[in-house]
Amino acid sequence: MDDVQYSFAAKPRPVQTTRAKYREKKPSNTVFNIMNDPRVARGSVYAAANSIHLKRDAAPPAPTAPPPTVPVKKNSIYEPPTSLSTYIPVDLTAFLVEQTPTIESLDVQTQTDAFLPNDKHKKPFVLKKTGIDASTEILEEDGLFNFDAEVQPLLNVLVNKTLQQARAEVERETELHHISLYLSDLHVKKRVEADGVAKLVEAAVAAQEAKERETTERAQRLAEMDILQQKVAALKVGHRLLDDAIANADAQLRKNGVFYDPLKRLVETGFMKWMYTQADAAVDAHLVTHALLDDLLEYSLHKQRILATLARLPTTGDGCLLLDARHVDLWNVPAVGPIAYSPRHTFAVIEAHIEAWLQGNESTAELPRPDGGYLQALFP
């Protein structure tokens, strides 16, 4: 058993602990700013306004009881009112009508004095003398002013300006003369150039006219050629149409009988006409035969239907028939009969029995025989 080693394996699981995942900040008594330290007194230590020391030394005041509240008595709706409200009218004239303020006025009169004469402004104004009067005199011998020396600069300026202006005028006249010569030469060149341009224009116009004339002649030649081709084509078409027209006219004339073959005409007018007449007669006879046969078949079938209807009618005890005749207006009888009837009787025998009964009746003795017979009238 000493050789057996013990081994254990389990799934990983989170650690069970009650420790918080972060550390809570604990309050610290360390003061980092002396200005916010409550232990440091502000102001004078002897002042009575030291609130920190007063708060430390003074005991907390005893709590005072709140004042008693007086309950407010509510008026009951069942109690009579103590006083009735009366309406007092209020004058609103001051607010509805514009008030005109009263302005106090006082009349005052005054009169000014007459103007006094003012003669002091009529005298000339003379300044008051101040200081001591002084005078001086300058003679020619004193040499205070040298006319030649003083006038020389002015004279130089006038002469120079005059010469400069004269020179400018001469230069201007010379320039104007050269400009006029240049303009005359320019005008001559312009005229020569205009003459050359006119000649070029005339040559260009002549060339354009020649070109247009050649173009017109070419267009005319093409038009004449086109007309000639159209005429040739029309001539060819005319010959072809003329041949066709002649052939068609010949055929139409032959068809209309203008040009005909005597033997063919004899056959068409004689034999063919007789043959058509005989064929029409044979066809008409065939149609009449078919119509008569259809009428006979229809009449026979109608008789058979009447006989079948009579066979289905009830008979009396002695084998007679009563036929309803109310729908026949001319006879004026409700029924015809009794008449003798047998399935072996023919249509003519039954007609004879009906005719005998009608002749024996007073009301129908003189009635004419119907077109289709008595049974046709009774069974339309």
Side-chain angles (χ1 to χ4, degrees), residues 14-259:
V15 178
Q16 301 294 334
T17 179
T18 57
R19 187 177 63 180
K21 295 182 179 180
Y22 62 93
R23 296 181 181 179
E24 297 180 357
K25 293 183 179 180
K26 296 182 179 181
S28 177
N29 296 327
T30 305
V31 179
F32 298 97
N33 191 354
I34 194 173
M35 300 300 294
N36 295 331
D37 191 355
R39 296 173 295 178
V40 178
R42 302 294 177 207
S44 177
V45 295
Y46 301 102
N50 194 345
S51 60
I52 297 176
H53 297 282
L54 291 176
K55 288 180 181 179
R56 289 179 181 177
D57 299 338
T64 58
T69 58
V70 179
V72 180
K73 183 179 180 181
K74 296 182 179 180
N75 295 329
S76 176
I77 60 176
Y78 300 103
E79 294 180 359
T82 56
S83 62
L84 297 176
S85 60
T86 58
Y87 173 72
I88 300 175
V90 180
D91 187 10
L92 300 178
T93 306
F95 302 98
L96 300 177
V97 179
E98 182 181 3
Q99 302 296 326
T100 304
T102 303
I103 301 175
E104 297 180 358
S105 61
L106 180 64
D107 296 336
V108 177
Q109 296 181 358
T110 182
Q111 179 64 40
T112 59
D113 298 335
F115 290 101
L116 298 176
N118 188 5
D119 298 335
K120 61 181 180 179
H121 296 291
K122 295 181 180 180
K123 297 179 181 180
F125 177 74
V126 179
L127 291 176
K128 186 179 180 180
K129 291 184 178 181
T130 57
I132 302 172
D133 294 338
S135 61
T136 182
E137 183 180 1
I138 299 174
L139 299 177
E140 186 176 357
E141 292 81 7
D142 296 337
L144 181 63
F145 179 75
N146 189 359
F147 179 78
D148 296 335
E150 298 295 336
V151 171
Q152 186 66 33
L154 299 177
L155 184 60
N156 292 335
V157 171
L158 291 175
V159 172
N160 291 332
K161 288 293 183 181
T162 303
L163 293 175
Q164 185 178 1
Q165 184 67 24
R167 182 179 179 182
E169 291 178 358
V170 171
E171 290 178 354
R172 182 178 179 184
E173 291 177 358
T174 304
E175 185 177 2
L176 291 175
H177 178 66
H178 287 293
I179 290 173
S180 62
L181 294 177
Y182 174 75
L183 287 177
S184 61
D185 295 340
L186 182 62
H187 291 162
V188 172
K189 292 180 181 179
K190 288 288 185 182
R191 284 195 295 272
V192 173
E193 185 178 358
D195 294 339
V197 171
K199 292 180 180 179
L200 292 176
V201 170
E202 290 177 358
V205 169
Q208 183 67 23
E209 290 178 354
K211 184 178 179 180
E212 291 179 356
R213 186 167 52 255
E214 183 179 358
T215 304
T216 305
E217 292 176 356
R218 182 179 178 183
Q220 290 178 357
R221 288 196 300 271
L222 292 176
E224 292 175 357
M225 186 65 68
D226 190 10
I227 293 172
L228 181 60
Q229 291 178 358
Q230 291 180 2
K231 288 182 179 180
V232 172
L235 181 60
K236 292 181 179 180
V237 173
H239 283 298
R240 187 180 302 172
L241 293 177
L242 182 60
D243 296 338
D244 295 340
I246 292 173
N248 293 332
D250 189 9
Q252 188 67 26
L253 290 174
R254 289 181 180 277
K255 183 178 180 180
N256 293 335
V258 178
F259 302 148

